[in-house]
Amino acid sequence: MVSLRIFGGLALVLGLTKGQTYPATGNGTNSNAPYKNSNLPVEDRVKDLLSRMTIQDKVAQLMQGDISNWINTTTNAFNYSGLVANMETKAGSFYVGYPVPQQWIAQGVKRAQDYLLQNTTLGIPALVQTEGIHGFLIGNATIFNSPIAHACSFNVDLIQQMGAAIAQESLALGVNQIFAPLADLARELRYGRVEETFGEDPYLTGEMAYSYIKGLQGGSVSATVKHFAAYSSPEQGLNTGPVHGGERELRTTWLPPFKRAIVDGEAFSIMSAYHSYDGVPAIADHHMLTDILRGEWDYKYWVTSDAGATDRLCNAFKMCRASPIDMEAVTMYALPAGNDVEMGGGSFNFQKIPELVKTGRLDVDVVDTAVSRLLTAKFTMGIFEHPYMAVPANETAARIHTPKSVQLARQLDAESIVLLENHDSTLPLKKDANVAVIGPMAHGFMNYGDYVVYQSQYHGVTPLDGIQSASSGKVTYAQGCERWSTDQSGFPEAVAAAKAADVAVVVVGTWSRDQMELWQGLNATTGEHVDVASLNLVGAMGPLVQAVIEAGKPTVVVYSSGKPITEPWVSNSSSALIQQFYPSEQGGNALADVLYGKQNPSGKLSVSFPHDVGTLPIYYDYLNSGRSTDPGTITANNTLIFGHQYVLDTPQPLYEFGYGKSYTTFHYSNVTLSTSTPSATDTITATIQVTNTGKYDGQEVVQAYVQDVLASVAVPNILLKGFKKVMIKAGETKSVSIPIDVSQLGVWDIRMQYVVEPGDFVVWVGSSSKDLRGNATFTVA
């Protein structure tokens, strides 16, 4: 097991001692104010508080603070004047995502909340913020696997449990807002942040994000849905690049998962994005942030910019002077558009609000609207009544990194692993098999994705650790090569280990970095601002796999990665192929659970695998008229067989969305619908009989896709509209029912009106987006 490096050392605490409070100055005059009365409606409380706020009070709510302004993140020294200065201008929220001992955060948060309550006139508590796509971003918290992996589980119950676990750990240190989940879609695989998404499909992404929010906010911690909206398909796959698309594509593809998370999930906050869509920067997109989000969706809470995003209006989009930055122009673009709060990382342009209001360029009603949205979230969350919910230091072990959370991480990871190939039933392995574990991702560090805390790679269960723990046979290890090198000098040792074993397990893939290392520019092949032109294995990893396979022993290849890998030859040449998207801290144990059959693999791909980067995009829900296919190929003996789409390749996926094998087999039969003539507002139920025809108990993800047979505009050929993960024992038959909301089957018609058009719809039920086992038709009158 990789050892854990503990951050910091003895805390040097200067200033106030534990338990000490600040002398109250003025807040008592408002102790009986209506906004302090939790029995009043939130709207009345907001109105009363807003009426008492000066313009500077209001602006302070609209700019993000940072705990490093009053806590030295190297020594923990307390800077009282830094706290005062921060809260004068940035009191609404503050960021705490630093790699420091847990209690430094808890103490720093307590000082800040105490100061706001006791030393400010109105006593408005702050939202305390950090990241959370892999879990609570602090040392020794539970590290879950990556979102792209979460979605492969198709298990919404586990995702909700994970959200609850993250809330419990966060709140234990006084953190009450998490920057997650993403509702972005993995539609451009060259893009570095694929690993942060829930995959390519709007419906699955919406369900995952919704479940995460319900778990997190059910634990009294605010979610932040990001990045609003249509961010993750940038030109050339380059992070923050422009995204091209029209209104219909926006509404058909990009907005549905956000609506599910934001409206149905009732998320307390949203983060806007860095990009432009159809030429309009998201940070200043009135149509998206106001017309749709507030006007159509009736969203009542607040939107924050991403870090430094407001400055991009000048320095990236060239919409205003960049040197010196035109703060007034930035503010006038972003705030009236509906971007309520300015995150740090930039120039804090919103400091110009008082001047703009005084000169009449900015209507104070715009400011009041933004402030009221943030206050509405705070009152609804109950943080005025419970501003600081951290537990004493001696109780954190009962809340953070508990055995229950660690077991949840292992279970979710295991259910997220996808079995791509299993030739000649190579898997599951026998417990007493002699195994050679090979590859640069097999040991020595944890292959987490981005947005984990600094030096997390020294904490967790590697593939070698997990296999050694599960095996009763001999386990040997050879690295074979380095991740970032073409050096093959380690091949002989790896080949010898494979020849001496009964089976080889080779772990290769992509790698990312924790947030500090990533922004230091250390090498990586995925992560924020790390985009690629190829989806092949890097350096010597591909030749290593080939060398081990050619050693002649059964070879199981494991892709440990943050995105699909395009090496089709591995699919045919290996004995078995497994996809484990960036794992949890229990990743090695989860992998061993699958390899040895303790966990029958049940993961299904949340993102399609192309044959080659040149065949992108590869998502399954292409519009009708797409994916003409007359493929070509290069055969194993290097014969060229020419096609037209493409000449020597195919636009079809190597592995499609929803694909994943099991150690058992499932037979589908008898698709029926609860009605064949529903109205446009009905919910119908599709039911199918599924029989486990193999010798292992197993879980199957039953997927329901809907085809709109005739439509007035070009629509996706099929769309996932429901799924259910069910455990079926060997020989058992289960009746699986999946509800389908007919109102969600509408199109944005030629006049850009949303309508469920009369006509036939086919419900296809199957094991993947391509492996459809049965269907039934209903007609909307």
Side-chain angles (χ1 to χ4, degrees):
M1 182 176 293
V2 175
S3 62
L4 171 63
R5 180 174 297 180
I6 303 298
F7 302 115
L10 290 174
L12 177 61
V13 183
L14 302 179
L16 298 177
T17 58
K18 184 176 179 181
Q20 189 171 342
T21 59
Y22 306 98
T25 55
N27 191 23
T29 60
N30 293 290
S31 59
N32 296 317
Y35 76 88
K36 293 290 186 83
N37 185 351
S38 61
N39 294 317
L40 290 179
V42 167
E43 183 177 352
D44 292 349
R45 299 178 75 185
V46 170
K47 183 177 180 181
D48 177 67
L49 178 52
L50 199 63
S51 71
R52 299 168 185 270
M53 298 174 75
T54 67
I55 189 64
Q56 190 56 52
D57 291 334
K58 295 172 183 178
V59 174
Q61 291 294 305
L62 301 184
M63 293 192 294
Q64 181 198 42
D66 196 289
I67 197 172
S68 65
N69 289 332
W70 61 91
I71 297 296
N72 185 303
T73 57
T74 301
T75 66
N76 198 32
F78 174 52
N79 179 353
Y80 178 76
S81 62
L83 175 62
V84 174
N86 182 100
M87 295 312 176
E88 284 178 351
T89 57
K90 306 176 189 73
S93 60
F94 58 88
Y95 184 73
V96 300
Y98 291 94
V100 299
Q102 292 178 0
Q103 287 307 306
W104 292 17
I105 298 298
Q107 293 162 8
V109 171
K110 182 67 163 61
R111 283 181 165 130
Q113 298 288 35
D114 282 350
Y115 177 84
L116 288 170
L117 294 177
Q118 299 171 20
N119 274 53
T120 63
T121 303
L122 296 170
I124 305 172
L127 288 163
V128 185
Q129 307 162 322
T130 192
E131 304 286 350
I133 62 173
H134 284 278
F136 178 34
L137 191 75
I138 190 72
N140 295 327
T142 309
I143 301 175
F144 294 92
N145 55 352
S146 55
I148 193 71
H150 298 159
C152 291
S153 75
F154 278 75
N155 192 327
V156 293
D157 292 336
L158 289 183
I159 301 304
Q160 185 164 338
Q161 290 176 43
M162 179 187 71
I166 293 170
Q168 175 179 294
E169 295 193 355
S170 302
L171 214 58
L173 301 184
V175 175
N176 55 26
Q177 184 181 2
I178 291 292
F179 293 153
L182 274 71
D184 299 327
L185 302 176
R187 312 287 278 192
E188 167 53 89
L189 299 182
R190 295 174 296 176
Y191 171 62
R193 305 181 75 174
V194 166
E195 68 206 58
E196 299 177 36
T197 76
F198 290 122
E200 71 185 46
D201 180 64
Y203 181 84
L204 177 62
T205 295
E207 294 307 298
M208 291 287 127
Y210 172 88
S211 299
Y212 182 107
I213 292 165
K214 286 301 181 184
L216 190 74
Q217 294 193 168
S220 300
V221 174
S222 169
T224 306
V225 182
K226 57 185 188 178
H227 304 88
F228 194 71
Y231 174 55
S232 52
S233 187
E235 182 178 284
Q236 294 189 296
L238 300 179
N239 185 44
T240 75
V243 177
H244 304 291
E247 183 80 4
R248 185 170 287 102
E249 181 177 358
L250 176 70
R251 291 178 176 275
T252 300
T253 301
W254 295 106
L255 290 182
F258 279 97
K259 187 175 183 181
R260 175 66 167 150
I262 292 167
V263 178
D264 297 342
E266 299 181 290
F268 285 127
S269 66
I270 298 169
M271 186 184 295
S272 58
Y274 288 122
H275 73 305
S276 65
Y277 185 83
D278 194 24
V280 181
I283 196 77
D285 193 334
H286 187 277
H287 179 55
M288 217 179 303
L289 294 174
T290 297
D291 296 343
I292 295 175
L293 182 62
R294 281 68 154 84
E296 297 179 25
W297 296 1
D298 198 28
Y299 184 64
K300 59 187 177 181
Y301 303 119
W302 61 290
V303 176
T304 178
S305 66
D306 207 336
T310 46
D311 283 11
R312 285 175 53 81
L313 290 167
C314 295
N315 59 36
F317 298 113
K318 312 299 183 185
M319 293 165 58
C320 42
R321 185 188 66 248
S323 183
I325 195 165
D326 189 341
M327 293 185 177
E328 294 184 1
V330 171
T331 302
M332 292 303 295
Y333 275 125
L335 187 63
N339 193 96
D340 306 306
V341 173
E342 187 176 31
M343 190 179 283
S347 302
F348 290 110
N349 302 279
F350 281 13
Q351 65 185 281
K352 288 291 184 178
I353 289 174
E355 181 181 335
L356 289 168
V357 170
K358 184 177 181 179
T359 60
R361 291 185 58 200
L362 178 64
D363 193 325
V364 72
D365 287 346
V366 173
V367 182
D368 288 352
T369 296
V371 175
S372 68
R373 291 166 176 163
L374 179 60
L375 295 178
T376 297
K378 289 183 176 184
F379 281 123
T380 305
M381 289 175 62
I383 67 170
F384 276 79
E385 288 69 47
H386 305 285
Y388 184 75
M389 297 178 69
V391 300
N394 62 0
E395 295 180 19
T396 56
R399 305 290 181 94
I400 299 177
H401 204 254
T402 66
K404 181 179 179 181
S405 293
V406 172
Q407 178 56 38
L408 174 62
R410 179 172 179 169
Q411 181 63 32
L412 176 56
D413 204 335
E415 291 201 25
S416 302
I417 291 173
V418 183
L419 179 63
L420 299 176
E421 302 288 351
N422 192 22
H423 303 300
D424 300 322
S425 298
T426 299
L427 297 175
L429 300 176
K430 294 180 179 178
K431 295 275 287 187
D432 60 355
N434 296 327
V435 181
V437 181
I438 298 167
M441 276 71 175
H443 194 58
F445 74 104
M446 289 300 297
N447 196 28
Y448 300 129
D450 65 1
Y451 283 94
V452 291
V453 77
Y454 180 53
Q455 296 186 336
S456 292
Q457 67 265 35
Y458 298 111
H459 171 45
V461 182
T462 68
L464 176 62
D465 295 331
I467 291 170
Q468 287 177 326
S469 179
S471 172
S472 61
K474 181 180 180 181
V475 178
T476 57
Y477 168 67
Q479 180 175 319
C481 68
E482 184 51 89
R483 288 172 278 174
W484 48 72
S485 173
T486 57
D487 181 14
Q488 299 185 11
S489 61
F491 282 21
E493 180 187 6
V495 170
K499 287 182 176 180
D502 298 318
V503 62
V505 177
V506 187
V507 189
V508 292
T510 64
W511 73 94
S512 189
R513 299 280 184 172
D514 65 55
Q515 284 314 99
M516 290 188 67
E517 289 190 346
L518 198 64
W519 290 102
Q520 289 170 10
L522 299 182
N523 61 42
T525 54
T526 73
E528 187 169 4
H529 76 260
V530 182
D531 311 307
V532 293
S534 170
L535 298 174
N536 298 117
L537 292 170
V538 170
M541 284 190 282
L544 174 65
V545 172
Q546 184 174 357
V548 173
I549 289 173
E550 290 176 351
K553 291 298 179 73
T555 301
V556 179
V557 177
V558 178
Y559 288 152
S560 175
S561 69
K563 62 175 59 180
I565 290 170
T566 54
E567 300 285 1
W569 64 273
V570 175
S571 300
N572 298 320
S573 300
S574 62
S575 303
L577 179 60
I578 283 175
Q579 175 63 56
Q580 184 177 29
F581 288 117
Y582 288 143
S584 71
E585 64 177 67
Q586 287 288 305
N589 285 333
L591 178 61
D593 289 343
V594 169
L595 289 173
Y596 288 96
K598 181 179 180 180
Q599 175 79 36
N600 190 342
S602 61
K604 301 284 189 175
L605 289 178
S606 59
V607 60
S608 303
F609 278 47
H611 283 80
D612 183 79
V613 71
T615 67
L616 295 177
I618 201 64
Y619 43 78
Y620 82 94
D621 56 335
Y622 56 87
L623 296 185
N624 288 325
S625 79
R627 301 291 192 275
S628 297
T629 305
D630 176 18
T633 189
I634 303 175
T635 67
N637 63 2
N638 288 322
T639 299
L640 304 183
I641 299 176
F642 290 89
H644 296 89
Q645 292 92 27
Y646 293 101
V647 171
L648 292 173
D649 216 317
T650 175
Q652 296 300 324
L654 176 63
Y655 300 111
E656 71 275 9
F657 172 84
Y659 172 90
K661 289 180 174 290
S662 170
Y663 295 152
T664 191
T665 53
F666 298 98
H667 175 73
Y668 288 56
S669 61
N670 302 327
V671 178
T672 60
L673 301 177
S674 56
T675 177
S676 60
T677 56
S679 74
T681 58
D682 286 343
T683 295
I684 66 171
T685 301
T687 302
I688 192 165
Q689 306 302 308
V690 183
T691 302
N692 184 336
T693 54
K695 60 180 181 180
Y696 295 98
D697 297 346
Q699 295 183 91
E700 172 69 336
V701 179
V702 182
Q703 302 161 46
Y705 297 84
V706 177
Q707 174 192 3
D708 188 345
V709 177
L710 297 174
S712 63
V713 293
V715 297
N717 69 106
I718 57 171
L719 280 171
L720 181 71
K721 288 298 178 183
F723 61 85
K724 184 166 289 188
K725 190 166 193 175
V726 291
M727 170 60 76
I728 307 176
K729 294 181 179 179
E732 182 184 20
T733 298
K734 278 194 175 180
S735 180
V736 180
S737 296
I738 300 175
I740 297 172
D741 184 351
V742 179
S743 71
Q744 298 301 309
L745 305 181
V747 302
W748 292 92
D749 69 12
I750 205 158
R751 295 181 177 83
M752 203 56 71
Q753 299 296 313
Y754 183 79
V755 59
V756 179
E757 296 181 332
D760 292 340
F761 294 82
V762 181
V763 179
W764 296 89
V765 183
S767 190
S768 78
S769 60
K770 185 177 179 181
D771 184 8
L772 302 172
R773 310 282 184 88
N775 67 83
T777 300
F778 66 88
T779 303
V780 176

